[in-house]
Amino acid sequence: MIIAKYFVEFIVYSFLGWVYECTYCSIKSRHFSNRGFLYGPVCPIYGFGAIGCSIVFGNFSLTIGGKTPLWEIFVICAFGSAILEYATSYFLEKRFNAMWWDYSNTPLNLNGRICLPATLGFGLAGMLIVKFVLPVSESIKGQMEPVFAEILALFLMGVLAADTALTVQSLVDLTQKLDNFELGFNNKVEENIKAIYEMPGEIREKYEAFTAKLTQRQKYALFSIKGYTSQSRSYMAARVREYLENIGSKIKKSLPEKTQDRSGDLK
């Protein structure tokens, strides 16, 4: 029963973390940015962090009675978030040879996995969660019916497991597709192409054929991943993203209808 309630709480915080990530990144990029490792609207790293706070501060009643000073809460949350973020980044990179975030250009970073500004921000967020969100969460969790909590937890667990399995398979397939994507032209030449119409037709057809085979999950992953450990794979992923964002849509809208065959493929 307790585990079921914690799992439901984990999903709720993961969803709220996803909302925060999407909102922050969308404002920063000035267009909607769907974030997260999984395809569904959850960021598990936020769920793990919040559950950690719930166990340490809620279950042990360190803060409900006001016994733990704010500075101590801040230090524990900041330090814990740094460990969690670094460990998650390391695991994802080793497992998928990809990076979902990179702080390399941020001051005071450690291997691009964590940075002081983000760690301080998570420390402040942890203080807010512990002081204002946890009391409400603990109250709701205490009033939740055990049977309802177990049924809801099993349902959410099934959805999360399916999403995880499909996401992992999509990432593996996407990596293989990128590695097998042979364009047959000089990368330096392509980098110098500025106008859409200057892209050679043969290259355009290869891009069109490649992107047509990508699933929605793979396109989502392509835009979520910041880079790969392989330089050539990172290059190809960046070029495909560029095509999907700009070139492909503009070519389809701008070229005369006679340049398309009956099936609608570009020639």
Side-chain angles (χ1 to χ4, degrees):
M1 179 185 71
I2 296 178
I3 296 178
K5 290 184 177 180
Y6 270 121
F7 187 80
V8 173
E9 189 177 15
F10 163 78
I11 294 296
V12 172
Y13 281 119
S14 296
F15 171 72
L16 294 177
W18 175 83
V19 172
Y20 162 76
E21 281 282 332
C22 290
T23 302
Y24 173 79
C25 294
S26 296
I27 294 175
K28 188 176 180 180
S29 62
R30 297 183 179 180
H31 64 80
F32 178 72
S33 178
N34 198 354
R35 299 288 297 165
F37 166 74
L38 297 175
Y39 187 71
V42 288
C43 285
I45 188 172
Y46 286 92
F48 283 117
I51 290 300
C53 288
S54 180
I55 293 174
V56 173
F57 298 106
N59 218 35
F60 297 157
S61 300
L62 296 179
T63 61
I64 301 301
K67 297 179 181 179
T68 305
L70 285 176
W71 69 266
E72 191 171 331
I73 298 174
F74 172 81
V75 171
I76 292 174
C77 290
F79 186 71
S81 69
I83 294 176
L84 179 61
E85 191 172 28
Y86 193 97
T88 303
S89 174
Y90 182 85
F91 170 77
L92 292 175
E93 183 177 325
K94 295 302 178 182
R95 176 62 181 83
F96 301 105
N97 297 313
M99 299 163 288
W100 272 260
W101 63 86
D102 185 10
Y103 295 120
S104 297
N105 296 324
T106 305
L108 302 175
N109 72 85
L110 181 60
N111 299 327
R113 304 184 192 280
I114 58 175
C115 67
L116 185 59
T119 299
L120 295 178
F122 286 129
L124 292 173
M127 288 173 53
L128 295 176
I129 290 175
V130 170
K131 298 301 292 185
F132 300 105
V133 180
L134 268 188
V136 178
S137 177
E138 291 292 315
S139 176
I140 295 175
K141 194 163 55 178
Q143 297 175 11
M144 188 178 296
E145 290 293 332
V147 176
F148 174 75
E150 292 177 1
I151 293 176
L152 182 59
L154 287 173
F155 171 75
L156 294 174
M157 190 178 299
V159 174
L160 183 64
D163 191 2
T164 302
L166 291 172
T167 297
V168 170
Q169 185 58 51
S170 295
L171 288 171
V172 173
D173 292 342
L174 175 61
T175 301
Q176 293 176 346
K177 288 179 179 179
L178 288 173
D179 289 342
N180 295 331
F181 189 24
E182 297 293 341
L183 295 179
F185 60 90
N186 192 308
N187 292 340
K188 293 183 179 180
V189 173
E190 188 200 8
E191 289 175 351
N192 293 327
I193 295 177
K194 301 299 181 181
I196 295 173
Y197 298 110
E198 292 180 22
M199 175 178 280
E202 181 183 355
I203 297 175
R204 189 169 63 238
E205 289 178 3
K206 290 183 178 181
Y207 270 114
E208 184 70 17
F210 178 81
T211 55
K213 295 178 182 179
L214 296 178
T215 65
Q216 285 300 116
R217 284 180 178 272
Q218 290 170 343
K219 291 179 181 178
Y220 170 75
L222 195 64
F223 283 94
S224 297
I225 295 173
K226 292 296 182 182
Y228 286 91
T229 54
S230 167
Q231 185 175 359
S232 60
R233 194 180 299 160
S234 291
Y235 177 84
M236 290 312 311
R239 298 285 74 77
V240 174
R241 280 196 298 268
E242 181 182 358
Y243 179 84
L244 287 172
E245 276 187 321
N246 302 311
I247 301 178
S249 60
K250 290 180 180 179
I251 287 177
K252 290 179 181 178
K253 292 179 181 179
S254 302
L255 288 181
E257 293 183 0
K258 63 181 181 180
T259 61
Q260 302 184 21
D261 64 7
R262 295 179 181 178
S263 62
D265 293 332
L266 292 169
K267 293 298 181 183

